[in-house]
């Protein structure tokens, strides 16, 4: 996938990635993060998705919000200012303290990985 750093005329060429500036910034409280996600209709109809979905915006970020879009389709994706290209969801952030231990407690699954709990 070639990277189109600057989106020209609101066009993302087929099989390209573009960083799309959204024109706003925000300030989040310490206990929140914002997640940028794909829109299902855009993905279904145009094969355009948020590449790192969900993208995380931390509470200490103060720059412009941008969306990393990937056009997986065979046609250029055209958009204009005001089009809904992604969605933002706010989520609580839980701060935890970790403790190093020599051994973890046992469970019925233990180290069973992918597929170990069924289909």
């Amino acid at each position: 996938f070639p990277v189109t750093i600057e989106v020209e005329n609101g066009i993302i060429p087929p099989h390209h990635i573009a960083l799309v500036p959204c024109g706003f910034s925000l300030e989040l409280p310490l206990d929140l993060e914002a997640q940028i996600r794909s829109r299902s209709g855009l993905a279904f109809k145009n094969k355009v998705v948020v590449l790192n979905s969900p993208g995380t915006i931390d509470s200490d970020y103060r720059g412009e919000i941008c969306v990393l879009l990937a056009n997986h389709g065979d046609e250029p994706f055209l958009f204009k200012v005001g089009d809904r290209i992604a969605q933002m969801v706010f989520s609580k952030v839980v701060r935890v303290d970790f403790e190093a231990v020599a051994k973890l407690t046992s469970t019925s699954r233990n180290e069973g990985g992918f597929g170990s709990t069924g289909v």
Side-chain angles (χ1 to χ4, degrees):
F1 266 73
V3 176
T4 303
I5 298 298
E6 192 172 314
V7 177
E8 187 176 327
N9 300 322
I11 299 172
I12 303 174
H15 309 288
H16 274 69
I17 297 166
L19 189 62
V20 181
C22 293
F24 71 94
S25 300
L26 52 81
E27 184 172 336
L28 296 169
L30 286 175
D31 64 341
L32 284 183
E33 69 163 339
Q35 297 177 359
I36 306 297
R37 300 180 183 184
S38 299
R39 294 183 53 86
S40 58
L42 196 61
F44 180 70
K45 295 175 185 174
N46 301 95
K47 298 181 178 82
V48 173
V49 297
V50 174
L51 188 61
N52 61 325
S53 186
T56 299
I57 301 167
D58 296 310
S59 62
D60 60 346
Y61 179 69
R62 296 295 185 270
E64 181 176 11
I65 304 302
C66 296
V67 176
L68 186 59
L69 288 182
N71 181 357
H72 291 288
D74 295 326
E75 301 294 326
F77 175 66
L78 287 66
F79 64 96
K80 61 186 180 311
V81 172
D83 283 353
R84 296 180 294 170
I85 60 168
Q87 54 190 336
M88 183 182 295
V89 175
F90 298 95
S91 182
K92 286 273 191 190
V93 174
V94 177
R95 309 241 179 240
V96 297
D97 292 320
F98 291 95
E99 178 184 341
V101 296
K103 185 176 179 183
L104 300 175
T105 59
S106 182
T107 69
S108 60
R109 184 177 182 190
N110 277 331
E111 294 180 19
F114 294 104
S116 67
T117 60
V119 177

